Amino acid sequence: MRNSKRILISMGKAWKTLLLLSLLSLSLTIAHIQEKGEESDEESPTVAEEHNEFEGAFSSLDGMLQWAISHSDPTRLKEKAHDVQGLSADELMKLQLETKELVEKLKVPSDAELMQAAITDLNNSSLSLEDLHRALDDLLILVESIDNANGLNKLGGLVAVIRKLNSSELEIRTASAWILGKASQNNPVVQKQILELGALPNLMMMVKSSFTGEALKALYAVSAVISNNVDGQELFYSEAGDFLLQDVMSNSSTDVRLLRKSAILVADLAQCILENGKEEKLPFINDRIFLKSLVNLTASTDLDLQEKVLMAIRNLLQLTSTKELVSNDLWGLDEAMVKMRERLEDLMEDEHRRDYARDVESLRKEVELIFHSRLDKVT
């Protein structure tokens, strides 16, 4: 049964389509068997074997899927699909009822059942490491659906996953953070649940991990949990989130992917304030070291990082609370923009990077224009 579930989960949303096509093939084959039975009183061993397999039901869902797929004739399926398009409403209804009956006979597990099985495994202290990985992989796929994500806490899934953040196994911690990030992405319901369960400080601590993969998934989860969530952002600041980002951005050995995610988070935090229309002072607005660390990233040779940093700076410049910083240019932005323009001009000579460099230059000009406009107003 576990392997059957694994097949369905790994196939994702596509499994239903394949299953229906396979059922169509199965129906055709059964009809073919019945026709041969009418023509001859004695069935060949192959046909009899196939007929018995169906009559006694398949020993497993794996067997059904493998049997149906192996007996599918692509040409015949295509012809059948074409025929279905010409069916009347009554004929189509009849076909749907027949298909529904076949699906019910197969007893395909629901997503809730699949999640419950995975959660039960997570709570099994005697489970092998391999099976534990498998259970986390299953949940990672299942929570992509917002309905599944919303139902995860009711099944005890969030508690089980959050508990695994303290695992001694690196990959278990990493997968658990990834699941929390996916489940809470653009999902206020799950964001609130994760915050109430106290997982945010743990995730923030994981961002400091010396293992890049763990740090990446943890920062992804932190960003997903506090995105457009005022309560989450307040907790993030109270847990010294600004210093966490500053440490990431000022460390010369930080992986560029982590730098990108940090810049995106800064941009999102500023954007959230702009969209809410409530100008609240961000903890790092008057922190010259923090802002200087952000601006210094414009010197990176990674165009993607440059773009993300420019987005963060652009959003920060639009906050009224940055007026003093603009007037004194405490973050050295003016000089950084000039140097950045020179580097981008060189990159635009490269035919492979020309288009992207032009896009980044366009964003750089926008940032420079906002900066000088603010500077003129202050002056």
Side-chain angles (χ1 to χ4, degrees), residues 362-377:
S362 177
L363 182 57
R364 188 205 65 80
K365 286 181 178 178
E366 181 184 356
V367 169
E368 193 172 49
L369 182 62
I370 295 173
F371 175 70
H372 287 153
S373 175
R374 294 290 307 276
L375 188 60
D376 289 340
K377 287 182 180 178

PDB file of all heavy atoms in Angstrom, residues 362-377:
ATOM      1  N   SER A 362      18.165  49.495 -16.274  1.00  0.00           N
ATOM      2  CA  SER A 362      16.913  50.240 -16.238  1.00  0.00           C
ATOM      3  C   SER A 362      16.422  50.396 -14.793  1.00  0.00           C
ATOM      4  O   SER A 362      15.964  51.476 -14.385  1.00  0.00           O
ATOM      5  CB  SER A 362      15.860  49.515 -17.078  1.00  0.00           C
ATOM      6  OG  SER A 362      14.616  50.174 -17.010  1.00  0.00           O
ATOM      7  N   LEU A 363      16.559  49.331 -14.021  1.00  0.00           N
ATOM      8  CA  LEU A 363      16.165  49.374 -12.615  1.00  0.00           C
ATOM      9  C   LEU A 363      17.114  50.280 -11.821  1.00  0.00           C
ATOM     10  O   LEU A 363      16.676  51.030 -10.941  1.00  0.00           O
ATOM     11  CB  LEU A 363      16.177  47.958 -12.041  1.00  0.00           C
ATOM     12  CG  LEU A 363      15.752  47.783 -10.578  1.00  0.00           C
ATOM     13  CD1 LEU A 363      14.352  48.345 -10.339  1.00  0.00           C
ATOM     14  CD2 LEU A 363      15.799  46.308 -10.186  1.00  0.00           C
ATOM     15  N   ARG A 364      18.397  50.225 -12.160  1.00  0.00           N
ATOM     16  CA  ARG A 364      19.381  51.090 -11.489  1.00  0.00           C
ATOM     17  C   ARG A 364      19.052  52.557 -11.718  1.00  0.00           C
ATOM     18  O   ARG A 364      19.120  53.388 -10.803  1.00  0.00           O
ATOM     19  CB  ARG A 364      20.789  50.777 -12.008  1.00  0.00           C
ATOM     20  CG  ARG A 364      21.912  51.490 -11.230  1.00  0.00           C
ATOM     21  CD  ARG A 364      23.151  51.655 -12.083  1.00  0.00           C
ATOM     22  NE  ARG A 364      22.919  52.544 -13.219  1.00  0.00           N
ATOM     23  CZ  ARG A 364      22.918  53.869 -13.153  1.00  0.00           C
ATOM     24  NH1 ARG A 364      23.137  54.480 -11.986  1.00  0.00           N
ATOM     25  NH2 ARG A 364      22.680  54.612 -14.229  1.00  0.00           N
ATOM     26  N   LYS A 365      18.678  52.893 -12.956  1.00  0.00           N
ATOM     27  CA  LYS A 365      18.307  54.275 -13.266  1.00  0.00           C
ATOM     28  C   LYS A 365      17.100  54.712 -12.458  1.00  0.00           C
ATOM     29  O   LYS A 365      17.013  55.859 -11.999  1.00  0.00           O
ATOM     30  CB  LYS A 365      18.003  54.407 -14.766  1.00  0.00           C
ATOM     31  CG  LYS A 365      19.231  54.380 -15.663  1.00  0.00           C
ATOM     32  CD  LYS A 365      18.820  54.532 -17.123  1.00  0.00           C
ATOM     33  CE  LYS A 365      20.034  54.555 -18.040  1.00  0.00           C
ATOM     34  NZ  LYS A 365      19.651  54.652 -19.472  1.00  0.00           N
ATOM     35  N   GLU A 366      16.138  53.797 -12.294  1.00  0.00           N
ATOM     36  CA  GLU A 366      14.938  54.109 -11.518  1.00  0.00           C
ATOM     37  C   GLU A 366      15.318  54.417 -10.068  1.00  0.00           C
ATOM     38  O   GLU A 366      14.818  55.385  -9.472  1.00  0.00           O
ATOM     39  CB  GLU A 366      13.968  52.926 -11.571  1.00  0.00           C
ATOM     40  CG  GLU A 366      12.677  53.177 -10.813  1.00  0.00           C
ATOM     41  CD  GLU A 366      11.763  51.967 -10.801  1.00  0.00           C
ATOM     42  OE1 GLU A 366      12.089  50.949 -11.453  1.00  0.00           O
ATOM     43  OE2 GLU A 366      10.723  52.042 -10.112  1.00  0.00           O
ATOM     44  N   VAL A 367      16.192  53.590  -9.513  1.00  0.00           N
ATOM     45  CA  VAL A 367      16.637  53.798  -8.130  1.00  0.00           C
ATOM     46  C   VAL A 367      17.366  55.134  -8.015  1.00  0.00           C
ATOM     47  O   VAL A 367      17.136  55.913  -7.080  1.00  0.00           O
ATOM     48  CB  VAL A 367      17.557  52.649  -7.681  1.00  0.00           C
ATOM     49  CG1 VAL A 367      18.249  52.988  -6.355  1.00  0.00           C
ATOM     50  CG2 VAL A 367      16.763  51.357  -7.552  1.00  0.00           C
ATOM     51  N   GLU A 368      18.232  55.428  -8.970  1.00  0.00           N
ATOM     52  CA  GLU A 368      19.008  56.668  -8.952  1.00  0.00           C
ATOM     53  C   GLU A 368      18.083  57.880  -9.063  1.00  0.00           C
ATOM     54  O   GLU A 368      18.291  58.903  -8.394  1.00  0.00           O
ATOM     55  CB  GLU A 368      20.009  56.660 -10.105  1.00  0.00           C
ATOM     56  CG  GLU A 368      21.077  57.742 -10.019  1.00  0.00           C
ATOM     57  CD  GLU A 368      22.142  57.545 -11.076  1.00  0.00           C
ATOM     58  OE1 GLU A 368      21.785  57.357 -12.261  1.00  0.00           O
ATOM     59  OE2 GLU A 368      23.340  57.579 -10.730  1.00  0.00           O
ATOM     60  N   LEU A 369      17.064  57.759  -9.911  1.00  0.00           N
ATOM     61  CA  LEU A 369      16.104  58.848 -10.099  1.00  0.00           C
ATOM     62  C   LEU A 369      15.322  59.114  -8.802  1.00  0.00           C
ATOM     63  O   LEU A 369      15.141  60.272  -8.406  1.00  0.00           O
ATOM     64  CB  LEU A 369      15.133  58.495 -11.228  1.00  0.00           C
ATOM     65  CG  LEU A 369      14.079  59.551 -11.582  1.00  0.00           C
ATOM     66  CD1 LEU A 369      14.765  60.830 -12.082  1.00  0.00           C
ATOM     67  CD2 LEU A 369      13.122  59.025 -12.638  1.00  0.00           C
ATOM     68  N   ILE A 370      14.876  58.048  -8.140  1.00  0.00           N
ATOM     69  CA  ILE A 370      14.149  58.194  -6.874  1.00  0.00           C
ATOM     70  C   ILE A 370      15.045  58.835  -5.822  1.00  0.00           C
ATOM     71  O   ILE A 370      14.637  59.739  -5.082  1.00  0.00           O
ATOM     72  CB  ILE A 370      13.631  56.828  -6.383  1.00  0.00           C
ATOM     73  CG1 ILE A 370      12.592  56.262  -7.348  1.00  0.00           C
ATOM     74  CG2 ILE A 370      13.024  56.960  -4.981  1.00  0.00           C
ATOM     75  CD1 ILE A 370      12.157  54.834  -7.029  1.00  0.00           C
ATOM     76  N   PHE A 371      16.296  58.374  -5.786  1.00  0.00           N
ATOM     77  CA  PHE A 371      17.242  58.886  -4.804  1.00  0.00           C
ATOM     78  C   PHE A 371      17.479  60.391  -4.991  1.00  0.00           C
ATOM     79  O   PHE A 371      17.391  61.171  -4.045  1.00  0.00           O
ATOM     80  CB  PHE A 371      18.565  58.128  -4.919  1.00  0.00           C
ATOM     81  CG  PHE A 371      19.655  58.666  -4.037  1.00  0.00           C
ATOM     82  CD1 PHE A 371      19.595  58.515  -2.656  1.00  0.00           C
ATOM     83  CD2 PHE A 371      20.737  59.343  -4.578  1.00  0.00           C
ATOM     84  CE1 PHE A 371      20.598  59.016  -1.834  1.00  0.00           C
ATOM     85  CE2 PHE A 371      21.738  59.848  -3.768  1.00  0.00           C
ATOM     86  CZ  PHE A 371      21.672  59.688  -2.393  1.00  0.00           C
ATOM     87  N   HIS A 372      17.742  60.794  -6.228  1.00  0.00           N
ATOM     88  CA  HIS A 372      18.008  62.218  -6.498  1.00  0.00           C
ATOM     89  C   HIS A 372      16.755  63.067  -6.302  1.00  0.00           C
ATOM     90  O   HIS A 372      16.832  64.220  -5.881  1.00  0.00           O
ATOM     91  CB  HIS A 372      18.557  62.389  -7.912  1.00  0.00           C
ATOM     92  CG  HIS A 372      19.972  61.918  -8.043  1.00  0.00           C
ATOM     93  ND1 HIS A 372      20.511  61.457  -9.228  1.00  0.00           N
ATOM     94  CD2 HIS A 372      20.963  61.818  -7.132  1.00  0.00           C
ATOM     95  CE1 HIS A 372      21.771  61.107  -9.037  1.00  0.00           C
ATOM     96  NE2 HIS A 372      22.059  61.317  -7.769  1.00  0.00           N
ATOM     97  N   SER A 373      15.617  62.493  -6.613  1.00  0.00           N
ATOM     98  CA  SER A 373      14.365  63.219  -6.408  1.00  0.00           C
ATOM     99  C   SER A 373      14.140  63.476  -4.913  1.00  0.00           C
ATOM    100  O   SER A 373      13.761  64.576  -4.506  1.00  0.00           O
ATOM    101  CB  SER A 373      13.191  62.390  -6.968  1.00  0.00           C
ATOM    102  OG  SER A 373      11.963  63.011  -6.685  1.00  0.00           O
ATOM    103  N   ARG A 374      14.381  62.439  -4.108  1.00  0.00           N
ATOM    104  CA  ARG A 374      14.258  62.600  -2.659  1.00  0.00           C
ATOM    105  C   ARG A 374      15.293  63.578  -2.122  1.00  0.00           C
ATOM    106  O   ARG A 374      15.035  64.364  -1.220  1.00  0.00           O
ATOM    107  CB  ARG A 374      14.439  61.224  -1.960  1.00  0.00           C
ATOM    108  CG  ARG A 374      13.364  60.194  -2.230  1.00  0.00           C
ATOM    109  CD  ARG A 374      12.047  60.526  -1.579  1.00  0.00           C
ATOM    110  NE  ARG A 374      12.179  60.782  -0.155  1.00  0.00           N
ATOM    111  CZ  ARG A 374      12.208  59.864   0.808  1.00  0.00           C
ATOM    112  NH1 ARG A 374      12.119  58.575   0.480  1.00  0.00           N
ATOM    113  NH2 ARG A 374      12.309  60.206   2.069  1.00  0.00           N
ATOM    114  N   LEU A 375      16.477  63.509  -2.697  1.00  0.00           N
ATOM    115  CA  LEU A 375      17.561  64.367  -2.263  1.00  0.00           C
ATOM    116  C   LEU A 375      17.258  65.841  -2.529  1.00  0.00           C
ATOM    117  O   LEU A 375      17.478  66.724  -1.699  1.00  0.00           O
ATOM    118  CB  LEU A 375      18.863  63.987  -2.973  1.00  0.00           C
ATOM    119  CG  LEU A 375      20.157  64.654  -2.496  1.00  0.00           C
ATOM    120  CD1 LEU A 375      20.415  64.342  -1.037  1.00  0.00           C
ATOM    121  CD2 LEU A 375      21.319  64.200  -3.355  1.00  0.00           C
ATOM    122  N   ASP A 376      16.651  66.104  -3.702  1.00  0.00           N
ATOM    123  CA  ASP A 376      16.273  67.481  -4.065  1.00  0.00           C
ATOM    124  C   ASP A 376      15.211  68.013  -3.113  1.00  0.00           C
ATOM    125  O   ASP A 376      15.257  69.185  -2.703  1.00  0.00           O
ATOM    126  CB  ASP A 376      15.744  67.536  -5.503  1.00  0.00           C
ATOM    127  CG  ASP A 376      16.852  67.318  -6.512  1.00  0.00           C
ATOM    128  OD1 ASP A 376      18.015  67.497  -6.147  1.00  0.00           O
ATOM    129  OD2 ASP A 376      16.545  66.955  -7.667  1.00  0.00           O
ATOM    130  N   LYS A 377      14.265  67.150  -2.747  1.00  0.00           N
ATOM    131  CA  LYS A 377      13.188  67.577  -1.849  1.00  0.00           C
ATOM    132  C   LYS A 377      13.750  67.926  -0.472  1.00  0.00           C
ATOM    133  O   LYS A 377      13.330  68.892   0.167  1.00  0.00           O
ATOM    134  CB  LYS A 377      12.136  66.474  -1.738  1.00  0.00           C
ATOM    135  CG  LYS A 377      11.278  66.328  -2.980  1.00  0.00           C
ATOM    136  CD  LYS A 377      10.226  65.242  -2.784  1.00  0.00           C
ATOM    137  CE  LYS A 377       9.359  65.117  -4.046  1.00  0.00           C
ATOM    138  NZ  LYS A 377       8.352  64.032  -3.881  1.00  0.00           N
TER     139      LYS A 377
END
